[in-house]
Amino acid sequence: MIKRVGVIGGGQLAWMMAGAADKLGVELMVQTPSHDDPAVSIAADVVLAAIDDATATAQLATQCDVITFENEFVDLEALALLANQGVCFRPSLEALKPLLDKYHQRCYLRDLGLPTPQFVALEEVRSQESGVRSQPSFSFPVVLKTRRHGYDGQGTFIVKNAQELDSTLKRLRGCALLLEEFVPFERELAAIAARSTTGEVVVYPIVETQQEKQVCRRVFAPADVSAAIAAEVEAIAHTLLNSLNVVGVFGIECFLTADGKVLVNEIAPRTHNSGHFTLDACETSQFEQQLRAVCGLPLGSPAMHVLGAVMVNLLGYEDSHSDYLEKRQQLAAMPHAHVYWYGKAESRLGRKLGHATVLLEEQSGQKVASAIEAIWYGS
Ligand code: ADP
């Protein structure tokens, strides 16, 4: 029986595993850079070190039976030495390998025959030879992305014209870059899916996510899409998790175009912001599911036990040390509301400080989201 799980990363995703860990009788050991990180308060033990410090991960490994990830910005090559010495990573390093670089991730999807936006590595455009061979035809706007370490829209730039492209490229000098077509999507969808050690796959109800300035603002569950579209996204999730031989939870973000096409935007090899609603709206949360998968337990049901739910991120809108207690109390007083506060020491613009989920009966999800945002941001 696996009883001690190491988690690389001590942010809110690790923090939200606490309830499930208690329920399953599992201890969490966390590797994270700062004492102030959210999961430090819930961990049985902490290795204070950078996410990509594999020496620290070797130390973590001495304290636990299996290691999983809440943050994928790791040094895979260095971790491979530990895997060779018998350290068990779930998901495996092989499953992570095609995903950590956004260009490799796009290539993996393309090679699997899954639909993605047209893309090219900037190095290919610059090199005459391969540029001619493989450059798709792009017109502005285009999207420029740093190939590694992008999150919450950091490292994603929507570029409207040649002049902007020039200045963005100057700013990003030295970074490996991915260039892709801008998809004028009608909506963004996401799937949270889990795969067990025995190859069982479950997919949560498909959700709609809404981003502002490339950062997730709100999530509606389930997405108001046809059964055929939902089935298509589910099928993509099955194909991906099976082909990567994943053990654990993955988040898969997609674009839905006006003519009903689904394109995969991004795969996150861990629990995901678009799955926070599962804590309150589903029979098994994504965090319990991740622990179940990595501990070799059978997966739980991903079904919702309510008609619908809306999740709104509480993003920082100023530099502050406030704990925003009054606003949180107002949010918690909304009917069927569940408020999560990650306990970060400082608020900064756009930082994810917490989230609120409201379970829906008859209400409109959009209206509830607006009511939450009016309390949080002030109207
Ligand atoms: P991150 O890794 O920072 O989450 P993403 O690639 O997911 O970056 O991009 C963040 C958001 O930017 C997406 O949710 C979407 O709203 C927008 N975006 C990203 N790529 C494209 C694209 N090719 N076309 C249109 N919008 C895009």
Side-chain angles (χ1 to χ4, degrees):
M1 276 282 281
I2 289 178
K3 284 286 165 203
R4 293 170 312 164
V5 175
V7 185
I8 300 185
Q12 63 265 21
L13 298 175
W15 176 74
M16 282 185 270
M17 293 168 87
D22 276 350
K23 179 176 166 186
L24 298 173
V26 166
E27 277 189 329
L28 299 175
M29 321 284 170
V30 168
Q31 174 180 340
T32 201
S34 166
H35 267 303
D36 290 336
D37 289 338
V40 168
S41 64
I42 57 93
D45 209 347
V46 178
V47 177
L48 270 188
I51 300 305
D52 61 357
D53 180 342
T55 311
T57 307
Q59 193 190 329
L60 182 75
T62 61
Q63 300 174 41
C64 48
D65 310 307
V66 61
I67 292 181
T68 191
F69 306 86
E70 75 108 61
N71 182 318
E72 63 276 28
F73 299 155
V74 293
D75 179 349
L76 268 193
E77 277 176 30
L79 293 186
L81 300 175
L82 302 183
N84 288 340
Q85 290 161 16
V87 175
C88 177
F89 292 97
R90 288 181 174 160
S92 69
L93 305 182
E94 289 74 28
L96 296 185
K97 197 166 177 210
L99 305 179
L100 301 194
D101 173 312
K102 287 188 182 194
Y103 173 68
H104 295 157
Q105 194 180 109
R106 287 256 178 278
C107 292
Y108 187 81
L109 289 163
R110 178 194 61 200
D111 296 347
L112 260 184
L114 293 177
T116 68
Q118 287 197 73
F119 67 98
V120 67
L122 211 66
E123 290 67 23
E124 279 180 54
V125 183
R126 284 171 175 152
S127 114
Q128 286 286 322
E129 268 179 279
S130 61
V132 174
R133 184 163 41 83
S134 60
Q135 190 179 337
S137 52
F138 287 113
S139 55
F140 288 108
V142 292
V143 183
L144 202 58
K145 294 181 178 178
T146 53
R147 286 172 52 169
R148 287 219 57 186
H149 300 127
Y151 72 100
D152 288 350
Q154 313 230 7
T156 294
F157 305 87
I158 296 171
V159 176
K160 291 189 209 69
N161 53 46
Q163 205 183 350
E164 246 184 65
L165 181 61
D166 232 36
S167 59
T168 314
L169 287 175
K170 273 199 193 110
R171 235 184 325 144
L172 297 175
R173 191 169 290 149
C175 296
L177 298 172
L178 167 71
L179 182 71
E180 61 184 37
E181 67 169 317
F182 174 81
V183 179
F185 55 80
E186 192 190 75
R187 269 185 276 177
E188 291 188 81
L189 305 177
I192 297 292
R195 188 170 178 278
S196 73
T197 48
T198 59
E200 177 196 5
V201 175
V202 298
V203 184
Y204 284 87
I206 306 307
V207 298
E208 174 176 352
T209 66
Q210 291 180 355
Q211 272 62 231
E212 282 176 24
K213 295 192 184 130
Q214 286 93 54
V215 182
C216 177
R217 286 288 289 254
R218 44 196 100 81
V219 172
F220 299 93
D224 183 15
V225 291
S226 69
I229 296 286
E232 200 177 326
V233 179
E234 279 165 28
I236 288 171
H238 274 266
T239 304
L240 265 171
L241 268 67
N242 284 329
S243 92
L244 288 164
N245 217 0
V246 169
V247 173
V249 167
F250 273 32
I252 299 155
E253 297 176 273
C254 300
F255 299 129
L256 177 64
T257 64
D259 57 353
K261 270 201 223 113
V262 173
L263 302 172
V264 181
N265 175 35
E266 194 172 36
I267 308 161
R270 50 169 167 74
T271 53
H272 193 254
N273 195 173
S274 61
H276 291 357
F277 77 98
T278 63
L279 279 167
D280 305 294
C282 294
E283 287 176 17
T284 314
S285 77
Q286 64 167 346
F287 304 101
E288 177 175 345
Q289 208 71 280
Q290 183 183 17
L291 281 178
R292 288 186 157 278
V294 305
C295 291
L297 298 170
L299 299 180
S301 162
M304 290 178 74
H305 55 67
V306 283
L307 277 181
V310 55
M311 190 285 315
V312 175
N313 276 332
L314 307 177
L315 301 176
Y317 51 83
E318 60 181 0
D319 290 342
S320 165
H321 285 91
S322 170
D323 64 1
Y324 299 98
L325 183 61
E326 209 176 301
K327 288 192 180 202
R328 287 192 276 139
Q329 285 171 339
Q330 268 179 279
L331 291 170
M334 291 175 73
H336 313 295
H338 300 262
V339 179
Y340 294 82
W341 188 249
Y342 307 148
K344 295 183 182 176
E346 270 174 72
S347 166
R348 287 193 298 272
L349 196 67
R351 193 171 196 205
K352 289 175 178 167
L353 302 176
H355 74 264
T357 298
V358 171
L359 305 182
L360 302 172
E361 285 165 350
E362 299 293 283
Q363 321 95 298
S364 129
Q366 279 293 352
K367 275 201 184 135
V368 172
S370 302
I372 297 172
E373 288 176 1
I375 293 172
W376 179 249
Y377 298 104
S379 36

